[in-house]
Amino acid sequence: MAVFERDAKEGADGHKRRGALSTAYMKASCRVLNKFLRQRLAAGESFSIEPREFGFAMATGRAIVGNIGSKRRMDYTVCGRIVNLASRLEGLTKHGEVIIDNFTLGGAKEILKAEPLPPVQPKGFSEKEKVTPHRIVGLNDEEAL
């Protein structure tokens, strides 16, 4: 899990763009690593890891961020409905997809190529709170460099 806090210097949508780029770059890094591992495995080498596909998801919204726990065990974490939504979207990913919510797309659509997926009603959300996830299919040319 990663958190991209809003920074007043970069405008209202800077954190959305940073998060979306990060997820797209993590996906690209996984593809490069998987290609390397497959080539080396085909050449007869052995590794303690094997190629795997990871799905990535991102949702934008308000959350509680900070140290939560007791004196015996304290964790810096993020809590809230948006964390639940991101987890539910990640559960929808297949074959290493990157899926984002409407709010993320709204702030990062100028840098992303995305396609809408069918609306879903995530567990823990009411019928009125259906979400239209979007699959990132690429980056705009300026961002892909």
Side-chain angles (χ1 to χ4, degrees):
M1 177 170 47
V3 177
F4 296 88
E5 294 184 22
R6 188 173 173 187
D7 185 352
K9 295 179 208 167
E10 61 185 356
D13 293 328
H15 62 295
K16 296 173 188 177
R17 287 189 289 275
R18 283 186 287 120
L21 284 174
S22 294
T23 56
Y25 291 153
M26 285 189 292
K27 173 59 185 163
S29 298
C30 285
R31 281 193 175 162
V32 170
L33 176 61
N34 284 338
K35 184 176 181 180
F36 169 80
L37 290 172
R38 285 186 186 102
Q39 288 174 344
R40 302 306 284 256
L41 289 169
E45 293 184 44
S46 64
F47 293 93
S48 59
I49 60 172
E50 57 188 56
R52 294 195 189 255
E53 290 291 336
F54 296 97
F56 299 96
M58 181 178 162
T60 300
R62 294 182 181 270
I64 298 169
V65 180
N67 290 316
I68 297 176
S70 66
K71 288 182 181 181
R72 284 189 276 163
R73 180 167 176 177
M74 183 72 65
D75 286 319
Y76 184 81
T77 191
V78 182
C79 299
R81 292 174 55 78
I82 203 67
V83 178
N84 184 25
L85 176 59
S87 175
R88 302 295 182 209
L89 292 177
E90 190 274 331
L92 297 175
T93 61
K94 299 177 186 124
H95 309 294
E97 294 175 317
V98 178
I99 295 179
I100 60 175
D101 70 335
N102 282 331
F103 294 112
T104 303
L105 181 65
K109 61 184 164 191
E110 70 277 356
I111 63 171
L112 298 175
K113 295 177 185 174
E115 59 186 27
L117 298 171
V120 296
Q121 181 185 351
K123 183 178 176 184
F125 289 76
S126 72
E127 180 72 31
K128 295 177 185 176
E129 297 176 296
K130 283 196 174 182
V131 176
T132 302
H134 300 270
R135 178 186 303 119
I136 296 178
V137 294
L139 297 174
N140 288 338
D141 294 337
E142 301 83 42
E143 298 300 329
L145 299 176

